[in-house]
Amino acid sequence: MAQQQTITLIGGGLVGALLAQQLAGRGFAVDVFEKRPDPRVAGFVGGRSINLALAERGLQALREAGLADDVLQRAVMMRGRMVHTRDGRSGLQRYGVDDSEVIWSVSRGALNMLLLDAAEAAGVRFHFGQSLVSADFDARRIRLADEQGVERDLDAPVIIGADGAGSALRAAMNAHTPLGERMDALGHAYKELEIPSAGVLAADLVGRSGGHDQFALEPHALHIWPRGGYMCIALPNTEGSFTVTLFLPAQGAHPSFATLPDTQAARAFFQEDFPDLLPLIPDFAADYEGHPIGTLSTLYLQRWHLDGRALLVGDAAHAIVPFHGQGMNCGFEDTVVLASLLAQSPNDTADAFAEFQRIRQPNADAIAAMALENYVEMRDSVADPHYLAKRELGALLAERAPQHFMARYRMVTFTHLPYAYAFERGRAQDQLLEQLLRGSTQATTVDLDAAITALRATLPPLPDLRHG
């Protein structure tokens, strides 16, 4: 029976806490070991704090855990991308067809604490300040160290690693049996800054920026300042501030982080490239000096598990770059699939783990590829006339032939269609749009009736979309 099965989870972050809650709800005994202190006591000390975009896949996992309403009360709706041009103009590109298709900006720290509370209420035992030192998979034991460095050994017959891109469990598994690990660095990095709530800024500045209430910018949008090979983005926080992230090449010719050695150089760069954004960041120098440069990579593994003894989930198995806003959503989708498989085969973890990898790995590979493509789209294509014409034509086809056309972004963000399906269908649709436009930057030049006929002749109907 599942009630006798104990599962050891390494990592009490977002994916670890949600998975623990779901497993406990299915009758498993769950111990979670987290190297950081309890954020509910010590305050949240995140590594990356890029705002998280919660979309339908993540929401569905939270619904199944009974937590969606609580989370949405702490989130800010984002209807689309507000694109800011170099000359100070801005315009909204909607993500979906209406307000039923939006994404939500959520605080990593607040969400983590809510998930910890829910997991504890379900009976999960958390052990904070406990780092994984090593694992003996043959003896099914692990060694942990507390914050003073005192080590102890524990029995751990079934271990799941939800300890992020720098997973200690993955390193231990790889030392036991090579996992075929590959980490592809993007070559671009990021730095975070902050736009404070509107009350801190001059009223005329807020008015010019399109802000209202306590927000310095339009609150219900993900703001993008695309500049070709680089960009800034800003996501709203519930109390009125925005988290700004600058994405730049790490090395190379200007502009790169290598060519911005100090705040003076960075300020001059912002004055030139983001002149409307700079005045909204009054603590620019302190932010730029005080926040580290973060790196961006994609993790690929050939093996996610050691038979039924150990498994990796979330970023520990398939870390991706953040440009589709799907890292957390993908990890949350992992938890739903895995909890269901383990509930079906509580005494055959080897079968459940193998099936989990079979189902999830093609989808993880697909969203990794789409996240990389979305970086190019966000920093460059959103201001490109041909891209905008394809987007307009796609919207017309989706309106006239919704059973046959849905933008890839909508498939990924607002449905439960597998990522792998969205990737391939999106590629086929894009090829059709290119053929219909023939290089034109005007969607109105296309005969829409003929285009719909070609669409229906070329592509089968979409499967059940399963909106939430």
Side-chain angles (χ1 to χ4, degrees):
M1 292 291 290
Q3 282 77 2
Q4 281 80 54
Q5 178 72 285
T6 298
I7 293 179
T8 301
L9 260 170
I10 307 298
L14 299 173
V15 170
L18 182 58
L19 177 60
Q21 188 249 23
Q22 292 188 63
L23 291 173
R26 286 167 166 81
F28 291 92
V30 184
D31 282 285
V32 179
F33 296 92
E34 166 57 52
K35 67 181 179 182
R36 293 169 298 184
D38 186 341
R40 298 164 298 179
V41 177
F44 184 75
V45 283
R48 293 177 306 129
S49 59
I50 291 177
N51 287 55
L52 300 165
L54 178 63
E56 173 55 31
R57 293 166 199 272
L59 262 176
Q60 179 59 22
L62 292 170
R63 284 188 203 108
E64 296 204 10
L67 300 172
D69 290 344
D70 286 347
V71 172
L72 289 179
Q73 287 173 11
R74 296 165 171 81
V76 182
M77 178 178 73
M78 298 185 292
R79 292 187 171 99
R81 299 167 174 164
M82 186 70 77
V83 179
H84 297 260
T85 59
R86 203 182 290 262
D87 60 6
R89 291 178 294 116
S90 62
L92 183 71
Q93 297 178 4
R94 267 196 177 271
Y95 289 132
V97 292
D98 55 34
D99 278 359
S100 71
E101 294 185 340
V102 297
I103 60 176
W104 301 84
S105 177
V106 296
S107 155
R108 179 189 293 271
L111 179 57
N112 200 172
M113 288 186 267
L114 183 150
L115 293 173
L116 291 172
D117 285 343
E120 271 190 348
V124 174
R125 296 181 295 266
F126 283 94
H127 311 269
F128 293 97
Q130 301 286 317
S131 298
L132 181 70
V133 176
S134 60
D136 184 335
F137 298 104
D138 295 326
R140 300 200 172 203
R141 288 176 68 78
I142 57 172
R143 175 162 292 182
L144 300 160
D146 66 16
E147 289 158 314
Q148 285 72 47
V150 177
E151 296 186 358
R152 61 184 172 129
D153 291 342
L154 286 176
D155 289 329
V158 179
I159 317 170
I160 299 174
D163 51 342
S167 170
L169 184 63
R170 186 176 74 244
M173 290 167 64
N174 196 46
H176 181 276
T177 303
L179 303 177
E181 178 178 324
R182 189 176 97 243
M183 187 77 82
D184 286 358
L186 181 62
H188 288 228
Y190 68 90
K191 186 178 279 276
E192 290 190 340
L193 309 160
E194 184 178 47
I195 297 172
S197 57
V200 178
L201 301 166
D204 64 325
L205 182 61
V206 174
R208 291 198 307 272
S209 300
H212 54 85
D213 301 324
Q214 74 267 43
F215 294 90
L217 294 165
E218 162 57 48
H220 297 300
L222 187 156
H223 294 262
I224 306 180
W225 289 259
R227 298 296 183 261
Y230 53 98
M231 67 176 179
C232 272
I233 66 171
L235 277 76
N237 298 307
T238 48
E239 81 286 355
S241 66
F242 287 80
T243 301
V244 178
T245 310
L246 167 66
F247 295 97
L248 270 182
Q251 302 293 328
H254 184 78
S256 69
F257 280 111
T259 66
L260 304 177
D262 52 40
T263 56
Q264 187 176 351
R267 184 181 290 277
F269 165 58
F270 266 72
Q271 190 65 62
E272 178 69 24
D273 280 66
F274 308 105
D276 59 329
L277 175 57
L278 183 59
L280 300 175
I281 310 175
D283 294 331
F284 181 86
D287 279 359
Y288 199 87
E289 285 179 8
H291 295 157
I293 296 172
T295 58
L296 298 162
S297 299
T298 305
L299 169 68
Y300 301 95
L301 296 177
Q302 292 174 4
R303 294 171 59 107
W304 290 7
H305 67 102
L306 301 180
D307 47 65
R309 291 174 286 179
L311 172 74
L312 300 168
V313 300
D315 283 355
H318 49 72
I320 61 175
V321 295
F323 303 111
H324 216 305
Q326 285 290 311
M328 173 183 67
N329 293 283
C330 183
F332 280 6
E333 203 173 51
D334 279 356
T335 70
V336 174
V337 174
L338 180 58
S340 175
L341 288 169
L342 284 169
Q344 292 166 29
S345 304
N347 298 313
D348 191 353
T349 52
D351 184 63
F353 290 176
E355 184 66 2
F356 175 75
Q357 180 175 343
R358 187 193 68 77
I359 292 169
R360 295 300 292 162
Q361 191 169 35
N363 293 302
D365 289 346
I367 191 55
M370 290 188 284
L372 290 165
E373 289 180 7
N374 220 43
Y375 184 32
V376 177
E377 182 172 308
M378 290 173 75
R379 75 189 194 206
D380 194 352
S381 303
V382 289
D384 174 65
H386 182 65
Y387 164 82
L388 294 173
K390 279 202 297 184
R391 194 174 185 278
E392 183 182 349
L393 179 57
L396 290 169
L397 291 175
E399 186 179 343
R400 289 277 302 275
Q403 292 82 24
H404 282 76
F405 193 97
M406 175 179 269
R408 188 178 85 180
Y409 185 91
R410 287 179 64 209
M411 284 190 269
V412 168
T413 309
F414 304 123
T415 81
H416 307 145
L417 293 171
Y419 287 124
Y421 175 86
F423 187 42
E424 292 305 323
R425 179 72 178 213
R427 182 174 286 170
Q429 290 180 168
D430 191 67
Q431 289 172 352
L432 180 63
L433 292 175
E434 291 284 2
Q435 291 165 11
L436 292 169
L437 280 167
R438 297 187 180 89
S440 172
T441 58
Q442 298 294 323
T444 51
T445 62
V446 176
D447 180 334
L448 200 55
D449 289 330
I452 291 168
T453 300
L455 170 64
R456 288 176 171 150
T458 305
L459 296 173
L462 293 160
D464 176 17
L465 296 175
R466 293 172 57 212
H467 282 62

